[in-house]
Amino acid sequence: MSIDRAGLNALMEITSRPELVFVRGQGSWLEDHAGKRYLDFIQGWAVNCLGHNHPAMIEALDRQSRLLINPSPAFYNQPSIDLARRIVESSCFDRVFFANSGAEANEGAIKLARKWGQLHRKGAYKIITFDHSFHGRTLATMSASGKPGWDTKFAPQVDGFPKADLNDLDSVRALIDDQTVAVMLEPVQGEAGVIPAMREFLQDLRTLTRERGLLLIVDEVQTGMGRTGRLYAYQHAGIEPDIMTLGKGIGGGVPLSALCAREAVCCFEHGDQGGTYNGNPLMTAVGVAIFDTLAAPGFLDEVNARGRQLSDGLTALSDKWGMQGERGQGLLRALVMDRDDGPALVQAARDRAPEGLLLNAPRGNLLRFMPALNVTADEIDTMLAWLDDLITAVRA
Ligand SMILES: *Cc1c(COP(=O)(O)O)cnc(C)c1O
């Protein structure tokens, strides 16, 4: 199959993309227009938690598409009820609102916190977020994000997101005033380069927010749904946040996200929140199939075993090449290199023959690994061996 260049140019240019068109996926493997296969350690940016085209997803899509696709969010449908119950029963949250993307779920979290501030905190609206954080690409979530330059890109930004430093409680304390309503963070900063919030920091943050009457919001769009080896990453710290957002893995590749909150915070009035596609049965049926696969006995044990294998392998590579080690939780990991080889390695990996390898470099000196949660031990060994060869080639 050749590339339809006129068609390709009909797509709006938003990023530099390699001239490859992917046509097929299976598990940890993707195939392009020319029939070349790639071992995929990006998986749609930590989205395809069961890999490409998992049978449980196909079966759910097929079954639900024959039953009912969209009765409208003004009516109940069974898959959204089933998925909400699963999330509520597996977490500290009491209610769920489904949306279509991580940014949309975070917008909902921001609105819910502001509404709660109007009702209970005399109109307090500021949400303290963190330097280098990533919460999405809508105007409000870009303003909430701590990516350098994002506060001026589409000015004027949405007001009310002062930035603290991750793992520095004093920096949070210093920003609290009577307009503050919440603190929002990623348990592991993903886009920033896999930087975990320390367990003790999360615990202290929970204590501080309780003392000061503030909501604690965890953005688990990347860390949720088993990615870090627990169903939700906040569980590692033994804390109970007030609000959590889920995205990416919750749909396993289809557009689905969730805003979860404890009963005391669920203060939306009719008309405050909604959306045409929200909680549609086609996507939530897939969510149920994904959830039941992740929650099956032994699944997360295997994620943790593969996470340790990847961690050990990356540490060995780091030692061999004089790099600066690796970090992460579960199957969200990063290799910290000693120089800015990232982009060159990403390209060399993709160009590798006869089979390519898909990697991500969120920073010049960093490689990020977010394979399918059911990646096999062999696939991890293969990736590590190829990566060692690629480093040799790039540094030759
Ligand atoms: C990816 C991501 C988002 C945005 O999700 P979209 O589905 O791309 O809107 C928000 N927060 C975090 C932590 C993410 O990793």
Side-chain angles (χ1 to χ4, degrees), residues 98-121:
F98 291 111
N100 312 289
S101 70
E104 194 186 359
N106 284 337
E107 284 273 339
I110 293 164
K111 284 168 66 177
L112 189 61
R114 287 188 174 191
K115 177 85 185 189
W116 186 85
Q118 288 170 3
L119 294 174
H120 303 290
R121 291 294 309 269

Side-chain angles (χ1 to χ4, degrees), residues 5-25:
R5 193 151 281 106
L8 187 152
N9 287 332
L11 291 169
M12 197 176 285
E13 183 76 12
I14 49 120
T15 186
S16 117
R17 287 184 273 219
E19 288 227 346
L20 301 171
V21 179
F22 286 107
V23 294
R24 223 187 307 276

Side-chain angles (χ1 to χ4, degrees), residues 76-136:
Y76 290 120
N77 71 74
Q78 195 59 45
S80 69
I81 294 169
D82 293 342
L83 184 56
R85 178 204 267 271
R86 280 162 170 75
I87 293 171
V88 162
E89 288 180 351
S90 62
S91 71
C92 64
F93 304 98
D94 302 302
R95 290 181 188 264
V96 182
F97 169 81
F98 291 111
N100 312 289
S101 70
E104 194 186 359
N106 284 337
E107 284 273 339
I110 293 164
K111 284 168 66 177
L112 189 61
R114 287 188 174 191
K115 177 85 185 189
W116 186 85
Q118 288 170 3
L119 294 174
H120 303 290
R121 291 294 309 269
K122 301 193 180 84
Y125 67 97
K126 289 185 189 168
I127 300 176
I128 297 171
T129 58
F130 290 83
D131 246 0
H132 304 295
S133 62
F134 180 81
H135 298 296

Side-chain angles (χ1 to χ4, degrees), residues 24-315:
R24 223 187 307 276
Q26 187 65 61
S28 287
W29 294 87
L30 269 178
E31 189 183 311
D32 73 10
H33 62 285
K36 179 177 169 183
R37 279 162 39 93
Y38 300 78
L39 181 57
D40 186 2
F41 270 64
I42 295 177
Q43 286 290 358
W45 254 254
V47 166
N48 309 317
C49 56
L50 300 181
H52 296 283
N53 299 29
H54 190 276
M57 284 184 72
I58 295 172
E59 195 277 326
L61 276 169
D62 183 53
R63 177 171 31 82
Q64 190 59 42
S65 67
R66 290 163 201 276
L67 275 175
L68 177 64
I69 291 177
N70 197 357
S72 129
F75 302 112
Y76 290 120
N77 71 74
Q78 195 59 45
S80 69
I81 294 169
D82 293 342
L83 184 56
R85 178 204 267 271
R86 280 162 170 75
I87 293 171
V88 162
E89 288 180 351
S90 62
S91 71
C92 64
F93 304 98
D94 302 302
R95 290 181 188 264
V96 182
F97 169 81
F98 291 111
N100 312 289
S101 70
E104 194 186 359
N106 284 337
E107 284 273 339
I110 293 164
K111 284 168 66 177
L112 189 61
R114 287 188 174 191
K115 177 85 185 189
W116 186 85
Q118 288 170 3
L119 294 174
H120 303 290
R121 291 294 309 269
K122 301 193 180 84
Y125 67 97
K126 289 185 189 168
I127 300 176
I128 297 171
T129 58
F130 290 83
D131 246 0
H132 304 295
S133 62
F134 180 81
H135 298 296
R137 294 175 176 279
T138 61
L139 279 175
T141 55
M142 280 186 82
S143 303
S145 298
K147 274 178 93 115
W150 272 30
D151 47 348
T152 51
K153 249 190 169 180
F154 301 102
Q157 68 177 141
V158 178
D159 203 17
F161 298 101
K163 305 289 181 303
D165 297 324
L166 193 67
N167 294 318
D168 178 353
L169 197 69
D170 286 338
S171 76
V172 179
R173 203 179 274 119
L175 290 175
I176 298 175
D177 61 25
D178 55 10
Q179 296 297 307
T180 308
V181 72
V183 178
M184 173 158 103
L185 83 167
E186 303 154 83
V188 180
Q189 287 188 340
E191 301 304 308
V194 190
I195 304 173
M198 295 297 152
R199 182 185 155 86
E200 194 181 36
F201 175 72
L202 287 169
Q203 291 171 346
D204 291 347
L205 196 57
R206 178 67 282 192
T207 305
L208 177 67
T209 47
R210 270 221 179 96
E211 279 169 8
R212 306 293 291 266
L214 308 176
L215 301 177
L216 181 61
I217 306 172
V218 286
D219 175 351
E220 295 232 22
V221 169
Q222 189 155 149
T223 56
M225 307 317 291
R227 175 59 51 186
T228 68
R230 301 286 295 259
L231 201 46
Y232 311 110
Y234 77 81
Q235 295 171 325
H236 287 289
I239 58 165
E240 297 199 333
D242 301 297
I243 297 175
M244 170 175 76
T245 54
L246 297 169
K248 297 201 164 99
I250 191 179
V254 303
L256 178 65
S257 66
L259 162 63
C260 316
R262 296 162 73 155
E263 185 66 37
V265 187
C266 292
C267 57
F268 279 142
E269 292 170 81
H270 291 181
D272 283 350
Q273 184 68 338
T276 305
Y277 296 117
N278 293 6
N280 73 80
L282 189 62
M283 299 304 131
T284 48
V286 174
V288 170
I290 297 281
F291 188 102
D292 288 346
T293 307
L294 301 184
F299 187 93
L300 290 178
D301 295 335
E302 197 60 25
V303 171
N304 284 302
R306 296 288 74 75
R308 279 192 299 274
Q309 179 193 354
L310 181 57
S311 169
D312 291 346
L314 293 175
T315 303

